[in-house]
Amino acid sequence: MALTEVSSNKVFGGYQKVYSHDSKEVGCSMKFGIYLPPQVEQNKKLPVIYWLSGLTCTEANFIEKAGAQRYASVLGVIIINPDTSPRGLNIPGDSDAYDFGVGAGFYLNATQEPWKNNYKMYNYITVELQNIINSNFEVAEGKQSIMGHSMGGHGALICALKNPGLYKSISAFSPICNPSECAWGIKAFTGYLGPKETGSWSDWDATELVKKYNGPPIELLIDQGLDDKFLSEKQLLPENLIEACKATGVPAVLKKREGYNHSYFYIASFIGEHIKYHVDALLK
């Protein structure tokens, strides 16, 4: 598939690039960021970490705010960060709210009109984008991990739980852990999947997926700022996921960060710790 380089900036010895391409899965032009650390110049096949961003974000937020390049440069890992939804389709109602439609794809495959032909971010992340990366860049076969934030944390969790063995490790900052039970998730799932009784919501909810997980052991690393207003507003519900993990024996760690909120200031404070966690798993 043809890629168009949108931008390239040298940073910490490597290159932060953005590419665009025509996506068959979502039916529009999509962008993704890729950080290529200096080790690529040694013709090494490097491990990959995918980052999924949250509501309202594009590929730019993580690139500009997380500070991940410094750590990826030292540890020799490629980081991929896609956009959060299709864009430019002008589907009626797709830009009416920040938490549904553009910027809010929720990393699922929609089944309802008018969304089902384009809002297939799950297929885009786990199949199409992965094939693009594997075909165009020097990546180590089978050496990939996934992480994300908020809606993207939800996306990282479900991508890993629905594809046992695909990712070597998983972590999430302030993820939407039980979307079937929070306002954000109920709105998105109703619109994209239909009523709860008929919409297979449990197939896209990490707390429900944990209950039926049957694959290689994988630890869920959940990072949560305790001053996060969305935690107190019951949008994130990490306790539900941790309880489900305990009940089913899926390993999980919940790191509680005193004084931190939902912002990229919080992410930047601990992104190095997460990248190291993933690289340790990828190099085993």
Side-chain angles (χ1 to χ4, degrees):
M1 182 175 293
L3 298 180
T4 299
E5 186 176 291
V6 176
S7 63
S8 178
N9 291 283
K10 190 164 188 178
V11 53
F12 295 111
Y15 285 89
Q16 177 64 62
K17 296 176 178 284
V18 174
Y19 287 93
S20 67
H21 69 98
D22 291 330
S23 168
K24 293 181 180 179
E25 285 293 346
V26 301
C28 67
S29 178
M30 291 290 287
K31 290 181 183 178
F32 66 87
I34 179 168
Y35 179 67
L36 300 169
Q39 290 85 349
V40 298
E41 297 180 359
Q42 302 168 17
N43 295 317
K44 291 183 177 180
K45 290 185 178 294
L46 299 179
V48 176
I49 302 172
Y50 287 85
W51 169 273
L52 305 184
S53 293
L55 288 167
T56 75
C57 289
T58 69
E59 79 288 341
N61 298 72
F62 177 78
I63 291 170
E64 297 170 0
K65 297 180 179 180
Q69 297 93 342
R70 176 190 297 272
Y71 305 100
S73 172
V74 172
L75 295 171
V77 63
I78 293 169
I79 300 184
I80 312 293
N81 62 292
D83 202 348
T84 53
S85 77
R87 293 182 190 269
L89 296 168
N90 299 316
I91 298 172
D94 70 359
S95 299
D96 290 352
Y98 80 95
D99 54 358
F100 187 83
V102 174
F106 268 83
Y107 303 102
L108 49 71
N109 289 339
T111 59
Q112 302 298 298
E113 296 286 1
W115 316 104
K116 66 180 184 180
N117 292 328
N118 304 99
Y119 275 70
K120 298 185 288 185
M121 288 299 293
Y122 173 77
N123 281 359
Y124 176 74
I125 298 298
T126 60
V127 180
E128 185 174 22
L129 181 60
Q130 180 176 293
N131 288 339
I132 289 170
I133 299 304
N134 292 345
S135 299
N136 288 278
F137 301 96
E138 293 296 317
V139 299
E141 184 177 355
K143 296 286 189 179
Q144 56 189 18
S145 293
I146 192 165
M147 60 179 175
H149 170 234
S150 195
M151 179 186 71
H154 145 77
L157 289 166
I158 65 169
C159 286
L161 291 169
K162 289 170 71 68
N163 295 278
L166 181 60
Y167 303 102
K168 297 297 184 184
S169 54
I170 174 175
S171 71
F173 289 86
S174 310
I176 303 172
C177 293
N178 195 184
S180 299
E181 301 296 331
C182 75
W184 278 338
I186 291 169
K187 179 177 181 177
F189 282 13
T190 300
Y192 294 134
L193 303 173
K196 187 173 186 178
E197 296 75 20
T198 59
S200 301
W201 288 18
S202 63
D203 291 340
W204 306 101
D205 184 320
T207 297
E208 297 302 319
L209 288 169
V210 159
K211 297 174 183 177
K212 52 188 177 183
Y213 179 76
N214 183 23
I218 187 167
E219 180 180 79
L220 308 184
L221 174 58
I222 311 301
D223 205 306
Q224 180 60 60
L226 296 184
D227 275 14
D228 187 332
K229 69 175 183 177
F230 301 117
L231 178 65
S232 60
E233 292 176 2
K234 304 297 183 183
Q235 293 279 26
L236 308 178
L237 303 174
E239 65 279 4
N240 292 6
L241 177 59
I242 296 301
E243 190 61 34
C245 288
K246 288 179 180 178
T248 54
V250 174
V253 175
L254 176 59
K255 294 200 172 187
K256 299 178 180 180
R257 310 292 193 176
E258 291 283 352
Y260 288 90
N261 59 22
H262 201 74
S263 71
Y264 265 88
F265 293 109
Y266 155 57
I267 294 168
S269 299
F270 302 105
I271 192 68
E273 186 177 316
H274 281 243
I275 292 172
K276 176 66 163 56
Y277 173 80
H278 290 299
V279 170
D280 286 346
L282 289 163
L283 297 183
K284 279 186 179 178

